[in-house]
Amino acid sequence: MIKFETRRWYLIKEMVSYLRHLLRHNANIATEDNIEKMQYTILRSTHIIEKGLSLRTPRKAFGKQKILALLTQIDLYAKKYLSQSSDFILYPLSVVAHYTEYETSIGADVSEVDSLLRKIISQHSITLPPQIATGTQVVSKDSITSQAQGNFEQLLTSRHSIRYFSKENISTNLINKALQLAQLTPSACNRQGWRVHIYQGEQATQLLRWQGGARGFEDEPTMAILVSANSRAFLKYEPFQAYVDGGLYAMNLINALHYVGLGTIPLSCGFGYRKLADLYKNFDLPQNERPITIIGVGQLETEFKVAISARKDINQTTTWHK
């Protein structure tokens, strides 16, 4: 009994420590007082634009109010932090510029967005370089599949998050092949605590609708794979190891699905307990499993659009310690 109480107290202290961490560092708290929090939230909102442009048939003037809010946030960022990081806002502003060009070309009225964009550029003396790649690009199934089975570099550089698919059925053999490859993922002490739940047809659509990040294309993937991790696999001093092992497995599974020629769109399960309660209740997920990510899966169209989603320079994300 004493041993049990000691373990429980250990976990309680871990939860308190994590709460303190969230209250200090979460991007929703005192966002404007921290340059990194502002950058991450701006990038998140910027990606919503590229995501919308990569749908099969984007709705005219989609997300206009969200984009106006994004520009307001960018303007505040420029007032507070432009002197510290002048290059950061070039990408989000270029994405908005791409959006206004696209919407104008199809006859949508985005004059309010365009006006605010020009105002910000003028007020802060910003010049948008023409070489920044933004928006979407068209790729072909033949190109993607041939590169996916090339070398490792080609496998990684040819993978995209895809938001519309053909309705061709997915072979069980292909899924099993991808699962077998993903099973080689390293895990803490080889416990292999990941779990995989596969949903098809209407169930897949309902799962994607629950997640929310696939709004506008929930019915495009013909399959949805929920990757979870079994909390029973981990000990008191490993409260977050489920997310580490589950995340490693999920990425390997995404690459494996890409390798066998299927398109994927990964969607986060990083939600709070209220939303996750619906997942456990409605999708037959055992209470002892922690959801990691949902992967929408489908057969590739002959040609399709993907978001460019430019990546940061590695110098921005790497620290060499001596």
Side-chain angles (χ1 to χ4, degrees):
M1 184 65 179
I2 295 175
K3 192 173 185 180
F4 173 76
E5 290 296 331
T6 301
R7 290 172 178 173
R8 186 164 62 176
W9 181 240
Y10 187 100
L11 292 174
I12 291 171
K13 289 193 289 184
E14 284 289 345
M15 287 188 287
V16 171
S17 174
Y18 186 57
L19 176 60
R20 288 173 178 165
H21 178 88
L22 284 179
L23 291 173
R24 182 175 182 182
H25 299 295
N26 186 271
N28 267 138
I29 299 173
T31 306
E32 297 166 6
D33 296 333
N34 185 279
I35 186 173
E36 286 188 309
K37 290 181 181 182
M38 285 206 79
Q39 287 182 349
Y40 284 123
T41 52
I42 287 171
L43 284 177
R44 179 185 181 277
S45 297
T46 300
H47 183 62
I48 291 173
I49 304 173
E50 290 192 308
K51 180 170 68 173
L53 291 170
S54 68
L55 299 182
R56 185 187 295 272
T57 52
R59 180 170 48 86
K60 274 190 175 183
F62 72 88
K64 186 160 65 172
Q65 294 307 312
K66 289 184 178 180
I67 295 169
L68 288 170
L70 168 62
L71 286 172
T72 300
Q73 190 180 24
I74 291 173
D75 184 39
L76 178 60
Y77 176 90
K79 290 172 181 175
K80 298 193 70 164
Y81 300 116
L82 193 63
S83 60
Q84 296 181 42
S85 179
S86 58
D87 291 339
F88 170 75
I89 60 173
L90 297 180
Y91 177 67
L93 287 174
S94 295
V95 172
V96 176
H98 182 93
Y99 166 86
T100 60
E101 291 171 9
Y102 168 78
E103 293 293 347
T104 302
S105 73
I106 62 172
D109 180 12
V110 290
S111 55
E112 192 177 359
V113 174
D114 188 56
S115 176
L116 183 54
L117 172 65
R118 292 177 185 275
K119 180 181 176 182
I120 291 171
I121 289 173
S122 174
Q123 282 186 342
H124 299 289
S125 302
I126 296 167
T127 301
L128 297 183
Q131 71 270 20
I132 294 182
T134 62
T136 63
Q137 60 180 325
V138 176
V139 296
S140 71
K141 177 179 180 178
D142 288 345
S143 172
I144 291 294
T145 53
S146 64
Q147 291 182 70
Q149 295 196 345
N151 58 39
F152 184 66
E153 182 178 357
Q154 289 175 312
L155 172 75
L156 296 186
T157 57
S158 61
R159 193 209 65 79
H160 301 278
S161 292
I162 297 165
R163 296 178 174 86
Y164 60 97
F165 305 85
S166 82
K167 292 304 180 183
E168 181 184 352
N169 289 332
I170 299 174
S171 163
T172 302
N173 289 337
L174 284 181
I175 297 299
N176 286 337
K177 176 64 174 176
L179 292 171
Q180 288 167 356
L181 291 172
Q183 199 70 8
L184 300 173
T185 300
S187 63
C189 296
N190 196 33
R191 278 170 281 183
Q192 303 168 60
W194 49 74
R195 297 285 296 158
V196 178
H197 300 265
I198 299 175
Y199 304 84
Q200 301 180 74
E202 182 59 25
Q203 262 198 321
T205 301
Q206 291 301 321
L207 181 61
L208 296 176
R209 185 167 290 129
W210 166 85
Q211 195 275 341
R215 188 173 293 112
F217 64 97
E218 303 100 327
D219 59 347
E220 285 284 351
T222 55
M223 179 181 290
I225 299 177
L226 169 61
V227 175
S228 65
N230 190 347
S231 295
R232 293 169 179 165
F234 307 102
L235 307 177
K236 67 175 185 179
Y237 54 85
E238 304 173 303
F240 305 112
Q241 191 64 40
Y243 300 100
V244 176
D245 283 19
L248 287 169
Y249 176 85
M251 189 68 252
N252 265 359
L253 180 56
I254 290 167
N255 282 333
L257 290 164
H258 175 49
Y259 174 78
V260 300
L262 296 171
T264 61
I265 171 76
L267 299 159
S268 168
C269 285
F271 301 117
Y273 74 96
R274 289 184 183 275
K275 186 173 178 68
L276 291 179
D278 290 331
L279 180 65
Y280 287 108
K281 177 181 177 182
N282 298 319
F283 295 96
D284 198 27
L285 183 69
Q287 292 287 332
N288 57 289
E289 295 181 23
R290 301 302 294 172
I292 306 299
T293 195
I294 295 167
I295 308 168
V297 186
Q299 294 280 9
L300 298 173
E301 293 273 25
T302 303
E303 280 191 340
F304 48 94
K305 293 181 296 182
V306 295
I308 289 177
S309 300
R311 298 300 197 254
K312 297 178 181 179
D313 186 280
I314 60 171
N315 291 320
Q316 295 178 271
T317 56
T318 305
T319 301
W320 288 82
H321 297 270
K322 296 182 179 179

